[in-house]
Amino acid sequence: MADGCMVFFRAGACDLDAAAKAFAGYGLTVTRRGDELTAGRPAIPGFPNRWFRVRLAAGPHVAAEATEIGEGTPHEAAMRECAARFEISIDDLDAALDEINTLMEVQGALQDASQGFLFLPWNGSLSKPWRE
């Protein structure tokens, strides 16, 4: 993964099927290959890559990372309860940020489906679920 971001949530609160339904609810095109979803929109002039790969990870390593990321933030207690995450792969971060809408829809759909916390490693931002 060249770049990416993550949505942390409680283990068992969401799965790839629920994520796929959330993507469809946002009007995104979604395909599944094994344990990976691809979600996005067809290319438009000037914005050729609007596709993102999404995987689900869970376990003690995810919980440890969630605890570390949440430390010292207003979301510290909630992040200690997160042992699962969606990992969003971004092939070209600059291109994705140039056409930010699709990435934000992918992130929002995952937050809605999981009630998860969005972490952006490129700026250290940690955002609570849109709907609590």
Side-chain angles (χ1 to χ4, degrees):
M1 173 166 84
D3 282 297
C5 53
M6 297 164 270
V7 175
F8 288 89
F9 57 95
R10 290 178 187 215
C14 195
D15 60 18
L16 287 176
D17 291 333
K21 287 179 187 173
F23 290 144
Y26 271 65
L28 296 165
T29 300
V30 61
T31 57
R32 183 172 183 165
R33 283 198 182 131
D35 63 350
E36 182 177 276
L37 298 175
T38 301
R41 299 198 183 284
I44 58 174
F47 301 105
N49 185 4
R50 300 190 321 156
W51 298 98
F52 302 91
R53 291 179 318 282
V54 176
R55 290 182 165 265
L56 177 62
H61 69 286
V62 173
E65 192 170 346
T67 298
E68 182 180 327
I69 289 167
E71 202 170 287
T73 73
H75 313 300
E76 184 171 1
M79 287 291 285
R80 280 196 302 264
E81 298 176 12
C82 296
R85 71 178 175 216
F86 288 115
E87 300 170 342
I88 305 167
S89 296
I90 303 171
D91 291 332
D92 184 338
L93 181 59
D94 289 335
L97 295 177
D98 281 345
E99 194 284 302
I100 191 74
N101 293 335
T102 304
L103 177 57
M104 288 178 63
E105 288 173 324
V106 167
Q107 294 165 337
L110 292 174
Q111 281 192 280
D112 286 350
S114 66
Q115 288 302 292
F117 293 81
L118 173 64
F119 177 64
L120 307 177
W122 56 85
N123 66 10
S125 171
L126 182 62
S127 306
K128 68 180 182 177
W130 290 10
R131 300 178 195 153
E132 290 185 281

